[in-house]
Amino acid sequence: MNLTPSAPITAIQSSLRTAVAAASAVAIAQFLELEYPVYAVISAVLVMDLSPHKTRQLAVPRVLGSLLGAVVGGALSYPLPEGPLAIAVGILVAMLISYGLRMPAAAKVAGYVSGIVVFAHGAHPWSYAYHRTMETLLGVGMAVLVSLVPKLLGMKLPSDAAANQSDL
């Protein structure tokens, strides 16, 4: 592992920004009385990056996969009995649709969300799918917002340089 003088600064800034995004997402989720704020935390942590460009890149498949997984899981909850087979079918169908729509970066998230919707939907799969989607959107949204706040100490990251090149 190659440690540079900026490595501790990067670690501190990345950790702080991720913590702020996740905590903000939870605070808003609790204020809105959402069912499981933990999904807002997961989403914020998974998409947060020091580079706003990279955060947006990670956010798009997370949101698309969550939406697709929620719809597939909600739809499959009715014909399939709750259990391991339903989870397997939900994951399989959501991932295959994601790949078919040429969204490979969203496939795992789509499968995951579909799997939890068919597994844990109870009597109200669409309500459960809606709440998972809202919590995910909240976490992703907070990560994107926090990523736009200027860094405490300016540093050029490799992902920043790539983003600047693509913006030209």
Side-chain angles (χ1 to χ4, degrees), residues 22-94:
S24 299
V26 167
I28 294 169
Q30 288 176 334
F31 175 78
L32 296 174
E33 298 180 358
L34 296 178
E35 237 178 294
Y36 298 105
V38 69
Y39 293 107
V41 172
I42 292 167
S43 297
V45 171
L46 290 178
V47 303
M48 192 68 213
D49 191 87
L50 271 177
S51 164
H53 177 74
K54 182 69 173 177
T55 299
R56 288 190 306 272
Q57 281 182 326
L58 294 168
V60 172
R62 177 78 188 174
V63 169
L64 294 175
S66 294
L67 292 170
L68 177 62
V71 169
V72 170
L76 292 177
S77 292
Y78 293 103
L80 297 175
E82 192 174 308
L85 179 60
I87 294 167
V89 171
I91 292 169
L92 176 70
V93 170

Side-chain angles (χ1 to χ4, degrees), residues 64-139:
L64 294 175
S66 294
L67 292 170
L68 177 62
V71 169
V72 170
L76 292 177
S77 292
Y78 293 103
L80 297 175
E82 192 174 308
L85 179 60
I87 294 167
V89 171
I91 292 169
L92 176 70
V93 170
M95 289 184 73
L96 286 175
I97 291 172
S98 185
Y99 284 116
L101 294 173
R102 291 182 169 75
M103 301 185 317
K108 288 184 180 180
V109 173
Y112 161 73
V113 172
S114 179
I116 63 170
V117 170
V118 297
F119 177 66
H121 66 76
H124 308 288
W126 290 111
S127 174
Y128 189 85
Y130 169 79
H131 281 92
R132 293 305 69 74
T133 302
M134 290 299 102
E135 291 150 358
T136 297
L137 290 173
L138 178 58

